[in-house]
Amino acid sequence: MDEEKLLKLQTWVKEARRLVFFGGAGVSTESGIPDFRGVDGLYHQQFKEPPETIISHSYYLRKPETFFEFYRTRMLYPDARPNIVHKKLADWEAEGRLLAVVTQNIDGLHQAAGSRAVYELHGSVHRNTCQRCGARYTLEEFMTLGDVPKCRVCGGRVKPDVVLYEESLDQATIVGAVDAIRRADLLIVAGTSLTTVSCSSTRRPRRATTSPT
C-alpha cells in the first residue's frame, strides 16, 4: 500500500464510528499460521489427495483416520498467539468504535486478543461436539480423545466445529455478520481473496477498503 492510500485509510479509520473488519487467513500468518495459498500453505504441499477432498464432509465420514491425521497436523496451531492486527481490533472494540469482526479463520485468535463481537464464518477449532450425545470439548480436551476422537460420555465420534467442504455455513452467524456489515460506516477487508464466502446480499457501507492478500 503506497503512502497516499495509507494516509487515506488512516483518515477513514480515525473518522469512522461503526467499523467492521472482514478478515481471512492472511490476518493470522504473522502468528505463524500459514494461509491456504501461500508458499507454505495447504495448496502448495504435496498430499496423496487434494486438501479439498481430505477436509470434505464425505471424506470425514468415509476415512476418519486420515481426516483427523490431516486435521491435527495441518490445521491445528495450539501454540499460536494473537498478533498486532488481532490486538488492534480488540482495542478498537474496547473503545466502542468497532462493531464486529467477521472472520473466515478457525483459530480463535481474535477472541484470544480480547475481541467479543466475532462472527466465525467457518467455525472454530476451540469448539468440538460429540455427534451422538452433544457433549462439548475444548481444543485442549479434544487433543486427548484419541486419533479418531471419541466422546468420554458415550463413545461417539467428536467432530470439530469447523465448516468442511460440502457443509453449509451457520445461518445465525451469516445473519449476524450481514447485519453488522450493513450498519458499518467503514468496512475493512484484509487477508482474504473473498473467493470462499459471498457477501453479495449485503448493503455496502458508506466506505470500504481492501488490503491485498
Side-chain angles (χ1 to χ4, degrees), residues 117-206:
V118 181
Y119 294 99
E120 297 171 305
L121 297 178
H122 296 161
S124 173
V125 300
H126 294 278
R127 298 188 299 269
N128 303 274
T129 305
C130 174
Q131 301 300 281
R132 181 184 297 171
C133 72
R136 295 182 179 275
Y137 297 89
T138 65
L139 174 58
E140 292 73 19
E141 293 169 332
F142 171 86
M143 298 295 286
T144 68
L145 298 179
D147 293 340
V148 176
K150 292 184 178 181
C151 177
R152 293 171 181 165
V153 178
C154 72
R157 186 187 300 174
V158 176
K159 181 181 181 295
D161 180 21
V162 297
V163 179
L164 306 177
Y165 285 98
E166 304 170 349
E167 294 182 342
S168 300
L169 303 184
D170 178 70
Q171 189 61 33
T173 301
I174 295 175
V175 170
V178 168
D179 180 64
I181 292 172
R182 285 176 172 168
R183 291 187 290 124
D185 60 10
L186 177 64
L187 171 64
I188 299 176
V189 181
T192 175
S193 62
L194 290 177
T195 58
T196 56
V197 176
S198 172
C199 293
S200 59
S201 63
T202 64
R203 178 168 58 86
R204 291 185 178 182
R206 180 167 58 89

Side-chain angles (χ1 to χ4, degrees), residues 15-123:
E15 294 176 350
R17 292 297 176 266
R18 297 188 306 279
L19 277 159
V20 169
F21 182 86
F22 190 112
V27 174
S28 293
T29 54
E30 288 298 318
S31 296
I33 302 178
D35 61 26
F36 271 46
R37 294 171 177 81
V39 175
D40 297 321
L42 293 181
Y43 293 138
H44 285 266
Q45 299 180 35
Q46 297 298 317
F47 304 103
K48 292 182 179 179
E49 296 168 286
E52 299 97 322
T53 299
I54 299 175
I55 53 178
S56 67
H57 182 78
S58 57
Y59 196 95
Y60 157 79
L61 294 176
R62 190 173 70 255
K63 298 183 178 180
E65 295 84 2
T66 306
F67 169 87
F68 280 108
E69 180 184 3
F70 181 94
Y71 178 76
R72 290 171 182 273
T73 59
R74 305 297 184 182
M75 299 181 68
L76 294 183
Y77 294 85
D79 296 328
R81 296 294 179 265
N83 61 51
I84 188 172
V85 177
H86 302 106
K87 294 174 182 178
K88 175 54 69 174
L89 293 171
D91 289 343
W92 285 348
E93 182 182 32
E95 294 168 3
R97 301 175 57 235
L98 182 78
L99 290 179
V101 170
V102 181
T103 181
Q104 296 172 319
N105 296 340
I106 60 176
D107 51 45
L109 292 181
H110 287 293
Q111 291 92 330
S115 291
R116 297 183 178 181
V118 181
Y119 294 99
E120 297 171 305
L121 297 178
H122 296 161

